[in-house]
Every structure is written in C-alpha cells, then in structure tokens.
Amino acid sequence: MGITKLHGLAILVTAGITGAIWYHHPFPPASDQKPTASSEEGILLQTDLNETSPMLPRRRDVLVLTPWLAPIVWEGTFNRDILNAQYMQKNLVTGVVTFAVKKYVQFVEGFMSSANKYFLAGHQVNFYLFTDNPEQISHLQMAPENHLFVIPVQNHSQWQDISMSRMGIISRYIRSQFQYEIDYLYSIDIDVQLFEHIGVEIIDTLVGTISSWHYTARRESKSYETRTESQAAIPTGEGDFYYTASFYGGSVAEVYKLTRACFKGVMEDRENGIEARWHEESHLNKYLLYHKPTRLLSPEYYWDEELSRPRIIQVKRMCSVRKDGEK
Amino acid sequence: RRQDVLTVTPWLAPIIWEGTFNSDILDSAYRPLNLTIGVTAFAIGKYTRFVGRFLESAEKHFMKGYRVNYYIFTDNPETIPNVQLQSGRRFVIVPMEKYPSWQKTSMRRMEAINKHIAETSHQEVDYLFCLDIDMVFYNAWGPETLGDIVAAIHPGYFNVPRSQFPYERRSSSAAYIPDGEGDFYYGGAVFGGLVKKVYEFTKTCHMTILTDKANGIMAAWREESHLNRHFLSHKPSKVLSPEYLWDDRKLKPPEIHLIRFSTVDKNYKEIQD
C-alpha cells in the first residue's frame, strides 16, 4: 500500500504539532522522571519570625555550613514541616540498606522497631536487610507505608570481611535492583537504635555523617589512613571532616558511584596485602574528601553511646547499641 | 566562618555571605564542568547609559575564569557602547519593542526573559542570572552564587521586621502575601539559577502579572511583588546576602563585610519619561 496524500498530510500535521510542542517546551521532561504533583502547588507552610531573620543565626555554637556550601544539619537549623512538604511534592521513595550477619542478627528487632517509628516517619521507606540467617528474623511489624526485603548473604570468616564486601554488595544490588525501586539510599549499621526522628532533612544528593568521636578533633588526630600503599590514603594535612561509615547515603546514582569506588579501593588493597586502618570507613573518608558531600549530618544523627554527651549535641537521634562479645 | 548572621535557611538553603565559603574549593568543583553563565539585563530608553559601566565592572568581577554571555535587552541598540570583553565572554543585543512607559516595560521583563530562554539562551547557557542594569560590580561574584533557584535578600529589608516587608497586601492581587506570612524580602534586581528553572519561574511570574492586569490591578512593587509571592511558595535553593544586591545610599552595617554589586547613584527624574 503506498503512502497516499492523506497519510502525507497526517504526517505533516503530527510533525507540526510535535514541532510546536517542542518550541513551547525547550526542556522536555527526562524519560526517567516520575509524574509529580503540579509544580504550581507551592509550599504553603509558614516560617516563624525568628527562623528567617538574616541577622539572627539559629545556632552560634556550631558550624552549620561547610566551606563548599553544604549545610550541616543540627537541631534548630531546619523546619521539618517545610522540608516534608517539598519532599512530598516529588513523590520520592527512600531505601535503607543494612547488614545483620552472624551475631548481629540480635540487633534486628531493636533496629527495625525504632526505625519504623523514627526513620522518615510518614514516608515510604524500603528496608533492605542483608543477613546470613534469614530464618532467625522474627516476624517484624512494619509501618503501613514501609516495606521490608530480607536478602540472604554468605557468611565470612572475619567481621572485617563482611564489612569490606558490604560496599561491593550494595553497589551490585543498586545496579541490579535498587535503582528501579528507590530514589535515595542510606546505608545504616544494624547495631543502632533510633530515639528521635530522623526525617527528610537527611535527603540530598550525597550525604555524610560527622563521626561523634571526631567532631571537634583537630585534623592531625583524625583517623584517616595515611600509609601511601593503601588506596584509602589521605596525604598529611588534608581532610575536611571525619565521616562515620555507620550512616551515609544520597541519591541512588551517587551512592552507586561511592560504593563502587570504595569497593574498588578495598579490592586493590587486598591484592596488595594491605588493609586500611578503619576498613571501609577509611575508603569512605577518602572518597568524600575528593567528592564533597552536598549535605552533612551532625553527630546527632549517629552518636556512639560510649561517649558522654557535650552541650552542643542537643538531640541524640540514633545511637549505637552496646555490644556483647567481640566483633 | 560567620557566627553573626544566618547562613542557612530553615529549608536548608545556604545564605551566601563573605566568610561562609572557600572560593578555591568551589572553583575546583565548578571549573571542570565547562559551564557557560548567562546574564540578562534590560537597557530600555535612557537606561542604555548604564550599560558601559555595568559591563566593564562585570568584566572585572563577575564569574572570572568562566564563559559568560551577556544578553542586553534594549529598544535602542545604536546607543549601546562597544565594550571590550575578555576571551570566552560574549555580548549579545536582544532588540525589544519600546513600550509607552517605564512601568509597562518593567512588567514585561519576565515574559521577555522567558521567551528568550525558549528561543535562544537555553541552548547557550547552563545558568542564567537576571540583573538590573543600573548597577555596578565592586567585588567578586563567583560560583558560590550558582544553584538551581537563586534569590537575593533586598538591602532595604534584611534588618527589618517581617511585618514591614512591602509585600503586596491587597488580597485581590495574585501577588498577595497575608500578614504574618513570608520568609525574606527578596530584591527584584537579582535572581537566577539553572536556565531550566529560570524558564519555569519567569513563566509563572508572567502568568500572575497577566492575571493582575486582567483584574485591573498592579502590584505595589511590580515584578518584585510577584517574585516574592513566587519564592514564598517555591523556595529558592540558594539565597544571596545583601552583599550581592546593595544600595549605595544605605549605610553599611558591620554585618556587610563586602559589597559586590550595588546601585549606581542616579537622578530618577532624568531617566524616566
């Protein structure tokens, strides 16, 4: 059947309409963009008078902005209602990845019950729980908007081993599965409990948490790896903050890049017969030195219970749980 | 480090003051991206007399080391002086129809910027700043200002209670902000962001301006009122301190360490028709 004049006309009209649409919208939506609430609906929530007075800093006692203009999240610096409204407009799903291997299975119950209550409460969270003991995971009560995925992993002979291949596991699963299910992903140690809300103030492209041991330390006393033979080595005198590997995250794309890079460093070190001083945390710190986080969480967001709490920590949102026995 | 001023908004957008950022770190992040920064400025009628000084000072201080396109919108292309630009920087005249009065012209800026983005600049720049022409750069304006949606705090209202902000207070206007509401008072002389975002919000502001026109109302501070309404419900991702939008007639308080961009002293009667 040949192309008749009518077909030709139809083609021309379609092309014309498409051309007109292109003309009026120079920025066609990205193919991976999810349908969102109308951008005409603005945020209608109010700020208080004392929240937006340019001459009145909310926290004078701590640093709230890094030299590369990433906010550092402390109690008093943010209004969660406004942030919630902004987050909900974008229809986002956030994931949490955590590992419960061998004895660490004992922490699952405490972690999951407190996370269901305090982690991004009211928003959909996908929990990805990697464990070598799926049968031991008792039936866990999930908040109605949350989902739990139990993923079996292999046992390793040493704690460091599983820790060291966590980065590898995370990056593999992002590639094969997580990228299709979530927008943001956070890696959290299982041996913690949440005591206060951790909300959407943590959501940003690349997020690191300042270690509670190091928040005031001078650079020299930081725990960076310094041996140049290791891929995690940071030259003396360099470094911004010391970040904890117990809580980090960001967009699924950025966490993929981070975990891949760290895993690569881990594997190269292994081949060269060296292990970084603080294992994956050393590699994380190297990565975040050269790929600066877009947002930092204060030590409120991961507090080591062994430390006594200074006045600048007004809230302890998530704390390590005391461990019995050796790692 | 600044402990005397607010450096982060309640929605975690940075507020840019001298001392909050390290230019070297920012340059090392932004320079490799090979960005082109656009600037729009309107030189209508007698305002063409400000173009020379604007451009000369921009060449000294604005986004040094980056590619810059200046888009000068004018109804008077012949009177635009020829300013020598550094390499990587271009100057484009965008011809505009002369409107019967200055106020009418200024209400058409959102539309003109929006149309120009759609037709031309979206292909040429990554970020776009929309600046008033009757201003001069005195100090560095660099990549610390780059962000998705960028607004600047008006120099007349950063130390004034919210109840005194000159928001549009008539509920019949589309720019209406009720008492008690509001975050900051943003100045209409400086705004910008990713070119796609500027396209979106200039379109929205133009729509609200047209809505008012259809209802026979003109907002108290014209486009600035509509901009403030828009940024209340669509909060900027970065806020510039009044260092980036200063008024030379004001006394400089101790919190302002540096003036980067400021008004030119002028005789208002002389330049309006």
Side-chain angles (χ1 to χ4, degrees):
Chain A
M1 184 183 70
I3 299 181
T4 64
K5 273 195 183 151
L6 208 54
H7 282 123
L9 185 62
I11 290 168
L12 266 176
V13 168
T14 312
I17 293 173
T18 314
I21 290 172
W22 177 86
Y23 179 84
H24 284 294
H25 295 275
F27 307 102
S31 54
D32 59 348
Q33 225 174 48
K34 289 191 182 161
T36 61
S38 157
S39 58
E40 270 80 70
E41 289 165 36
I43 313 292
L44 299 173
L45 290 162
Q46 291 192 45
T47 48
D48 286 336
L49 286 172
N50 61 0
E51 283 181 300
T52 57
S53 194
M55 313 314 265
L56 280 184
R58 309 292 303 288
R59 292 291 297 262
R60 279 181 209 265
D61 54 337
V62 290
L63 186 68
V64 298
L65 197 62
T66 70
W68 60 93
L69 300 173
I72 307 176
V73 185
W74 297 87
E75 180 68 6
T77 59
F78 62 94
N79 178 319
R80 197 178 279 134
D81 292 335
I82 297 180
L83 294 172
N84 270 331
Q86 290 178 330
Y87 182 86
M88 286 194 288
Q89 270 198 333
K90 300 179 213 160
N91 271 323
L92 300 166
V93 180
T94 295
V96 170
V97 63
T98 188
F99 290 77
V101 172
K102 287 185 279 189
K103 284 204 200 116
Y104 282 76
V105 165
Q106 68 182 290
F107 299 113
V108 172
E109 183 90 44
F111 173 87
M112 286 307 307
S113 64
S114 63
N116 260 292
K117 191 172 172 201
Y118 288 118
F119 191 84
L120 259 62
H123 302 286
Q124 179 184 346
V125 180
N126 289 1
F127 289 90
Y128 300 102
L129 174 59
F130 287 88
T131 182
D132 58 346
N133 230 327
E135 324 80 54
Q136 270 210 42
I137 310 291
S138 53
H139 178 70
L140 296 160
Q141 271 290 69
M142 299 298 289
E145 57 272 357
N146 294 344
H147 301 108
L148 173 64
F149 301 92
V150 179
I151 305 173
V153 281
Q154 263 194 324
N155 207 328
H156 284 260
S157 51
Q158 275 190 300
W159 170 78
Q160 284 96 321
D161 275 348
I162 179 64
S163 151
M164 292 300 242
S165 56
R166 277 204 290 195
M167 293 288 194
I169 292 172
I170 295 173
S171 65
R172 277 207 320 273
Y173 273 81
I174 291 177
R175 195 183 160 124
S176 63
Q177 179 183 345
F178 300 164
Q179 61 166 314
Y180 304 109
E181 299 175 355
I182 51 179
D183 305 290
Y184 290 88
L185 180 65
Y186 289 80
S187 171
I188 307 181
D189 276 2
I190 192 80
D191 53 347
V192 301
Q193 281 207 33
L194 283 76
F195 297 100
E196 287 293 338
H197 284 285
I198 292 182
V200 298
E201 67 276 8
I202 69 169
I203 305 295
D204 205 45
T205 311
L206 183 61
V207 184
T209 305
I210 299 172
S211 163
S212 49
W213 286 89
H214 297 96
Y215 71 88
T216 54
R218 290 165 58 76
R219 191 178 283 142
E220 301 77 61
S221 68
K222 287 189 171 62
S223 309
Y224 299 136
E225 172 60 67
T226 47
R227 295 168 295 170
T228 50
E229 303 79 55
S230 167
Q231 297 303 309
I234 290 177
T236 332
E238 285 188 38
D240 305 312
F241 298 89
Y242 190 79
Y243 305 103
T244 174
S246 301
F247 187 16
Y248 63 88
S251 71
V252 108
E254 287 301 318
V255 177
Y256 178 71
K257 286 192 249 174
L258 182 159
T259 50
R260 244 190 92 150
C262 288
F263 181 59
K264 191 157 169 274
V266 162
M267 295 310 282
E268 272 187 58
D269 271 8
R270 252 181 221 173
E271 276 164 38
N272 295 328
I274 187 170
E275 191 168 299
R277 188 171 173 193
W278 288 105
H279 321 294
E280 67 172 9
E281 190 168 89
S282 305
H283 293 271
L284 176 80
N285 272 277
K286 167 110 187 231
Y287 185 86
L288 291 179
L289 174 59
Y290 296 112
H291 305 81
K292 304 219 186 283
T294 59
R295 188 168 296 189
L296 269 58
L297 305 181
S298 67
E300 295 169 6
Y301 286 82
Y302 178 79
W303 188 256
D304 192 321
E305 257 311 307
E306 287 183 41
L307 298 170
S308 58
R309 194 211 327 191
R311 202 172 297 158
I312 65 169
I313 305 293
Q314 295 176 0
V315 178
K316 285 193 292 180
R317 302 173 196 274
M318 184 160 79
C319 300
S320 61
V321 170
R322 204 177 63 81
K323 302 177 225 317
D324 330 301
E326 26 189 350
K327 291 180 181 170
Chain B
R1 179 166 175 176
R2 292 292 295 265
Q3 286 167 300
D4 56 333
V5 288
L6 188 68
T7 56
V8 178
T9 71
W11 57 94
L12 296 175
I15 305 176
I16 315 299
W17 303 83
E18 177 68 1
T20 57
F21 62 93
N22 179 314
S23 296
D24 293 332
I25 299 181
L26 292 172
D27 271 330
S28 69
Y30 281 103
R31 287 258 175 91
L33 303 177
N34 265 323
L35 303 165
T36 304
I37 317 296
V39 177
T40 66
F42 286 75
I44 305 293
K46 293 187 181 148
Y47 274 69
T48 50
R49 70 183 59 187
F50 298 114
V51 174
R53 228 179 133 189
F54 177 93
L55 287 176
E56 276 158 19
S57 65
E59 284 297 288
K60 283 209 199 88
H61 301 293
F62 180 82
M63 305 296 305
K64 294 279 284 180
Y66 293 81
R67 288 207 302 269
V68 174
N69 290 358
Y70 301 101
Y71 301 104
I72 308 294
F73 293 67
T74 184
D75 56 350
N76 240 330
E78 328 76 57
T79 62
I80 305 289
N82 208 348
V83 177
Q84 186 73 338
L85 301 181
Q86 292 149 76
S87 92
R89 300 162 83 101
R90 273 173 62 218
F91 162 69
V92 177
I93 290 183
V94 182
M96 278 201 79
E97 227 183 275
K98 197 174 175 106
Y99 275 89
S101 79
W102 171 74
Q103 285 95 329
K104 286 256 171 66
T105 309
S106 85
M107 291 300 261
R108 287 279 171 182
R109 286 195 301 184
M110 293 292 180
E111 177 186 36
I113 293 167
N114 181 267
K115 188 156 173 275
H116 186 254
I117 295 174
E119 289 173 355
T120 315
S121 64
H122 79 277
Q123 291 168 323
E124 300 179 347
V125 304
D126 304 287
Y127 291 90
L128 187 66
F129 285 100
C130 305
L131 307 176
D132 272 8
I133 194 78
D134 54 346
M135 314 271 291
V136 173
F137 292 90
Y138 292 104
N139 275 292
W141 176 307
E144 71 280 1
T145 61
L146 297 177
D148 283 14
I149 302 172
V150 184
I153 297 174
H154 192 294
Y157 300 96
F158 69 93
N159 210 357
V160 146
R162 193 187 282 176
S163 54
Q164 289 178 31
F165 288 174
Y167 291 143
E168 175 53 63
R169 299 298 189 185
R170 291 168 294 174
S171 54
S172 48
S173 167
Y176 171 57
I177 294 178
D179 268 323
E181 284 184 37
D183 303 315
F184 302 97
Y185 191 76
Y186 302 107
V190 170
F191 58 88
L194 283 172
V195 72
K196 172 180 175 164
K197 294 289 182 185
V198 178
Y199 175 79
E200 286 167 6
F201 76 70
T202 49
K203 172 150 271 185
T204 310
C205 282
H206 176 59
M207 290 298 150
T208 55
I209 290 171
L210 284 184
T211 304
D212 271 10
K213 188 168 182 220
N215 292 328
I217 187 167
M218 179 177 280
W221 284 99
R222 294 174 278 279
E223 288 168 339
E224 189 172 271
S225 305
H226 290 271
L227 199 71
N228 271 278
R229 172 70 249 180
H230 181 82
F231 285 149
L232 176 58
S233 32
H234 303 81
K235 300 194 188 304
S237 61
K238 189 171 271 189
V239 176
L240 306 180
S241 70
E243 295 169 9
Y244 292 84
L245 170 46
W246 192 249
D247 183 340
D248 264 343
R249 292 167 299 181
K250 309 200 81 59
L251 213 55
K252 194 163 75 111
E255 293 84 1
I256 305 288
H257 294 182
L258 198 58
I259 291 171
R260 304 172 194 269
F261 188 56
S262 181
T263 50
V264 171
D265 220 339
K266 53 187 172 281
N267 182 339
Y268 281 94
K269 267 182 87 176
E270 198 183 84
I271 32 180
Q272 290 169 31
D273 3 60

